[in-house]
């Protein structure tokens, strides 16, 4: 295959070679079940303990036992929300979330509404994707048991005021869960400082393997397990452990922590180059999400007027560039991205969305190539559009 | 997910662009996802002498627009009305199921143009077709 330019790290990231190396023995010879008392099992058990400590360090948890490994970030979100809802259903049935959450959170909340009589408030966001803390305070009622708001948005990169939300939750004696799947490896996550109660992360967004995620659950938090079976993960998530996945996650977490300052400054520079150049060189384009420090370092999201996202993606793909869009035509459901609509964009504007997301190994040359190829693609499609009077 | 033929028509669309002075224009909007296809026709003695299109939509919408212009060019109006969305999809070696509705758009744009023509309209009158409005009804 000729050279590819991968700009979709918010979807998934390549496995780091060091992560693969760490995993390899556990995919081959070291096959033991960590629950077994003989040597093979104990070796696997030790590897998991070490990986757990590395994930603990990535988010600065007080105790490694606060980390539950799951099959994905989605499962971590499900476990957090359903686990709290089931544990506290006698105390209340009200949950607060936002309109721009990932589907793993939104659809879990909708499920609880539909099948278990929970009541869910969906906070709206402003034109840059921020929730309003006054709205949040207003929504809290006596029977509110959980607030779940993402740390950073996967489509538009908006970083929510997590510490303030945690404070409001604590004042009102409500649990606070945050989906930090996009934020991990990009922002300094410190659960002790931010005082969140539950936090979801996923390995494959930080150059780890797919099929492994984790939920941080602060000591003392009431949570009902959602998977019944063996005693794994201190009885909070039954299933024989995905040992290679966990080991890979541990390595990826260690690398992510070590690389964070370097990665952040490099990505911010490239991100701002993309944002500035696109806004300069292409007219009738909108930047989605905020600028600067409240935006994820790796995210640039735009809406180009008069054209449609899938057409942009197909054209870019032919030029070797991989990116993503929230257009209705790419969604499978034929609805435009709920995040774009929550920003107040019309269907027509949401149609022309394009997300560029950078990774640890993205180079300036790759960015330059993208910036050279993008404007003519936009123009070509506009020339084809009945809405464009060029 | 797309056939080579779809990608070919997407990459090198036939008869693409706005026409200087068409005899009639047809337009449809897709109520499902908000896309718009517009066709520009030159008609002489009930025969489609020339046709071009412009499309605001996905890869399948562009490819089906391109294909439909090839299929109806040189045909009589009655023949052109016979062109179905299944036929367009077939000529493109198939479309993914989620994209079949895009081929409706292309066929309907032709039908809309011919209807306008038969009613003595140009299709360029302000907001004269209901389909174009449905495309915008979410705003
Ligand atoms: S036109 Fe929107 S899916 Fe094809």
């Amino acid at each position: 295959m000729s050279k590819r330019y991968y700009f979709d790290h918010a979807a998934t990231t390549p496995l780091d070679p060091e992560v693969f190396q760490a995993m390899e023995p556990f995919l081959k010879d070291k096959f033991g079940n960590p629950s077994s008392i003989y040597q093979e099992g104990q070796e696997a058990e030790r590897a998991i303990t070490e990986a757990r400590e590395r994930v603990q360090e990535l988010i600065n948890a007080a105790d490694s036992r606060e980390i539950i490994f799951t099959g994905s970030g989605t499962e971590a979100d499900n476990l957090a929300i359903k686990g709290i809802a089931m544990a506290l259903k006698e105390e209340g049935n009200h949950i607060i979330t936002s309109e721009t959450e990932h589907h793993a959170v939104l659809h879990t909340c909708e499920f609880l509404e539909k099948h278990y009589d929970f009541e869910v408030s969906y906070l709206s966001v402003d034109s840059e994707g921020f929730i309003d803390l006054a709205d949040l305070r207003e929504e809290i009622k006596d029977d509110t048991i959980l607030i779940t708001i993402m740390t950073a948005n996967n489509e538009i990169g908006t970083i929510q005021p997590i510490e303030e939300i945690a404070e409001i939750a604590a004042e009102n004696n409500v649990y606070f869960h945050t989906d930090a799947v996009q934020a991990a490896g990009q922002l300094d996550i410190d659960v002790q400082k931010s005082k969140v109660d539950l936090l979801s992360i996923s390995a494959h967004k930080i150059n780890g393997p797919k099929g492994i995620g984790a939920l941080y659950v602060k000591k003392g938090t009431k949570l009902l397990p959602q998977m019944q079976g063996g005693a794994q993960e201190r009885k909070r998530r039954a299933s024989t452990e995905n040992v290679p996945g966990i080991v890979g996650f541990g390595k990826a977490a260690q690398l992510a922590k070590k690389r964070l300052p370097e990665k952040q400054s490099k990505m911010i520079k490239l991100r701002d180059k993309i944002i500035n150049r696109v806004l300069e060189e292409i007219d009738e384009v909108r930047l989605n999400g905020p600028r600067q420090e409240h935006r994820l370092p790796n995210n640039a999201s735009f809406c180009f007027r008069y054209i449609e996202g899938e057409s942009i993606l197909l054209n870019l793909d032919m030029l070797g560039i991989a990116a993503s869009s929230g257009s209705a035509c790419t969604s499978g459901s034929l609805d435009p991205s709920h995040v774009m609509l929550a920003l107040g964009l019309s269907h027509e504007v949401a149609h022309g969305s394009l997300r560029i997301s950078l990774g640890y190994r993205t180079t300036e040359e790759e960015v330059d190539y993208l910036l050279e190829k993008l404007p003519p693609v936009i123009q070509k499609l506009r020339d084809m559009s009945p809405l464009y009077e060029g | 997910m797309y056939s080579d033929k779809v990608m070919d028509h997407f990459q090198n669309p036939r008869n693409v662009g706005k026409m200087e002075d068409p005899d009639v224009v047809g337009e449809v909007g897709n109520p499902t996802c908000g896309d718009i296809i517009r066709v520009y026709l030159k008609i002489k003695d009930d025969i489609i002498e020339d046709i071009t299109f412009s499309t605001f939509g996905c890869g399948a919408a562009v490819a089906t627009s391109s294909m439909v212009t090839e299929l109806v060019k040189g045909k009589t109006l009655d023949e052109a009305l016979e062109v179905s969305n299944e036929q367009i999809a077939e000529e493109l070696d198939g479309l993914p199921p989620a994209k079949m509705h895009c081929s409706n758009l292309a066929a309907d744009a032709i039908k809309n143009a011919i209807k306008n023509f038969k009613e003595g309209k140009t299709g360029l009158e302000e907001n004269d077709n209901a389909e174009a409005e449905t495309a915008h009804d979410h705003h």
Side-chain angles (χ1 to χ4, degrees):
Chain A
M1 193 158 57
S2 55
K3 165 127 175 91
R4 297 289 299 172
Y5 298 80
Y6 186 75
F7 288 102
D8 202 14
H9 292 84
T12 194
T13 57
L15 192 73
D16 193 279
E18 284 188 53
V19 172
F20 177 70
Q21 251 177 32
M23 292 173 70
E24 205 179 1
F26 293 91
L27 291 161
K28 289 163 123 180
D29 319 320
K30 302 188 177 183
F31 62 90
N33 186 326
S35 299
S36 308
I37 55 159
Y38 42 80
Q39 288 179 26
E40 287 87 342
Q42 292 315 295
E43 184 173 34
E45 173 66 30
R46 274 195 304 278
I48 290 181
T49 303
E50 198 186 314
R52 200 184 302 279
E53 284 164 5
R54 286 169 170 178
V55 173
Q56 173 199 354
E57 283 161 18
L58 178 66
I59 60 173
N60 196 32
D63 189 328
S64 68
R65 288 172 297 186
E66 294 173 316
I67 309 293
I68 304 175
F69 286 115
T70 63
S72 61
T74 292
E75 191 196 325
D77 285 339
N78 270 262
L79 175 57
I81 298 167
K82 291 178 185 159
I84 294 290
M86 300 295 148
L88 298 187
K89 66 175 188 310
E90 302 305 329
E91 289 165 46
N93 70 341
H94 181 233
I95 296 172
I96 302 174
T97 186
S98 83
E99 287 181 349
T100 56
E101 296 301 305
H102 190 273
H103 282 150
V105 166
L106 279 183
H107 290 170
T108 303
C109 288
E110 285 164 18
F111 176 85
L112 289 173
E113 268 183 308
K114 201 167 160 210
H115 300 289
Y116 291 90
D117 277 332
F118 276 82
E119 191 198 323
V120 181
S121 302
Y122 300 89
L123 300 177
S124 57
V125 297
D126 66 15
S127 61
E128 291 188 327
F130 294 106
I131 63 156
D132 182 338
L133 294 174
D135 287 355
L136 172 62
R137 281 181 202 280
E138 222 158 87
E139 286 298 331
I140 298 177
K141 309 188 286 187
D142 288 345
D143 59 359
T144 305
I145 52 165
L146 175 70
I147 296 168
T148 171
I149 304 280
M150 69 204 322
T151 301
N153 187 270
N154 49 313
E155 292 187 35
I156 58 173
T158 308
I159 301 170
Q160 300 290 357
I162 290 307
E163 291 184 27
E164 287 85 339
I165 299 171
E167 216 166 280
I168 294 171
E171 277 165 23
N172 289 278
N173 247 322
V174 175
Y175 282 136
F176 175 38
H177 164 251
T178 187
D179 175 332
V181 166
Q182 290 293 333
Q186 293 205 63
L187 305 177
D188 197 3
I189 296 180
D190 183 336
V191 291
Q192 295 187 72
K193 181 159 161 264
S194 65
K195 298 201 169 59
V196 304
D197 299 300
L198 306 108
L199 177 140
S200 309
I201 49 176
S202 170
H204 76 103
K205 309 284 191 192
I206 55 168
N207 304 98
K210 292 167 184 63
I212 188 79
L215 180 66
Y216 158 80
V217 185
K218 190 194 281 169
K219 195 163 169 258
T221 304
K222 294 188 187 123
L223 183 87
L224 267 194
Q226 298 300 303
M227 187 92 82
Q228 277 63 51
Q232 293 91 353
E233 299 300 289
R234 299 165 54 79
K235 297 196 182 143
R236 291 169 302 180
R237 201 265 188 181
S239 285
T240 296
E241 295 87 344
N242 170 2
V243 182
I246 291 173
V247 168
F249 196 176
K251 188 71 197 175
Q254 185 193 36
L255 293 174
K257 183 156 179 81
K258 190 174 86 187
R259 291 169 176 168
L260 183 67
E262 173 210 350
K263 182 177 167 186
Q264 262 182 342
S265 62
K266 186 183 119 176
M267 288 198 308
I268 287 172
K269 194 175 138 241
L270 295 178
R271 174 198 73 187
D272 289 345
K273 180 172 187 176
I274 294 172
I275 291 176
N276 292 335
R277 287 269 304 272
V278 166
L279 296 182
E280 246 166 58
E281 288 175 24
I282 303 177
D283 50 5
E284 303 204 67
V285 51
R286 176 190 198 281
L287 174 70
N288 301 312
R291 280 189 174 249
Q292 292 164 355
E293 77 267 34
H294 296 297
R295 176 175 205 106
L296 275 181
N298 82 333
N299 171 291
S301 164
F302 305 98
C303 284
F304 299 98
R305 291 298 308 276
Y306 314 123
I307 58 176
E308 187 282 320
E310 187 197 281
S311 299
I312 306 175
L313 298 188
L314 291 171
N315 271 292
L316 291 177
D317 189 28
M318 293 185 296
L319 295 163
I321 299 167
S324 143
S325 169
S327 149
C329 302
T330 59
S331 72
S333 66
L334 297 180
D335 288 320
S337 139
H338 65 285
V339 176
M340 299 295 160
L341 297 183
L343 296 179
L345 302 185
S346 66
H347 281 226
E348 188 190 306
V349 172
H351 229 36
S353 75
L354 176 71
R355 179 186 70 187
I356 310 287
S357 51
L358 312 171
Y360 176 64
R361 294 190 196 279
T362 305
T363 64
E364 180 137 23
E365 289 71 43
E366 289 173 327
V367 166
D368 288 342
Y369 179 82
L370 169 76
L371 289 171
E372 176 199 325
K373 298 296 175 191
L374 183 62
V377 164
I378 302 299
Q379 194 55 46
K380 174 181 164 193
L381 290 169
R382 281 181 173 172
D383 288 340
M384 237 189 252
S385 167
L387 301 175
Y388 181 68
E389 309 292 340
Chain B
M1 78 185 215
Y2 287 132
S3 70
D4 291 347
K5 210 149 175 199
V6 171
M7 286 310 292
D8 176 38
H9 275 262
F10 174 71
Q11 232 174 315
N12 315 296
R14 331 287 199 255
N15 308 309
V16 67
K18 292 159 192 142
M19 198 184 278
E20 273 302 304
D21 51 337
D23 293 327
V24 68
V25 167
E27 178 175 307
V28 285
N30 183 344
T32 326
C33 59
D35 306 272
I36 299 170
I37 293 182
R38 191 183 289 167
V39 289
Y40 308 78
L41 281 71
K42 278 232 177 276
I43 298 172
K44 198 172 171 200
D45 300 332
D46 265 11
I47 287 179
I48 300 175
E49 279 212 312
D50 197 10
I51 176 165
T52 65
F53 76 91
S54 58
T55 293
F56 169 54
C58 71
V62 173
T64 52
S65 309
S66 167
M67 178 53 84
V68 86
T69 62
E70 287 212 312
L71 288 176
V72 303
K73 202 168 178 173
K75 296 254 166 72
T76 66
L77 297 183
D78 287 341
E79 285 165 344
L81 282 173
E82 295 292 304
V83 173
S84 67
N85 66 320
E86 288 90 359
Q87 190 188 345
I88 299 167
E90 233 165 77
E91 295 281 350
L92 286 165
D93 295 338
L95 285 170
K99 296 289 182 179
M100 278 305 289
H101 72 274
C102 315
S103 59
N104 291 331
L105 279 187
D108 289 350
I110 300 293
K111 294 194 173 76
N112 180 256
I114 294 174
K115 178 171 156 274
N116 286 338
F117 185 75
K118 289 189 169 164
E119 288 171 2
K121 295 195 235 164
T122 61
L124 289 167
E125 298 85 358
E126 268 307 289
N127 249 345
D128 64 342
N129 65 71
E131 291 93 336
E133 277 160 32
T134 37
H136 295 96
D137 70 1
H138 297 294
H139 294 189

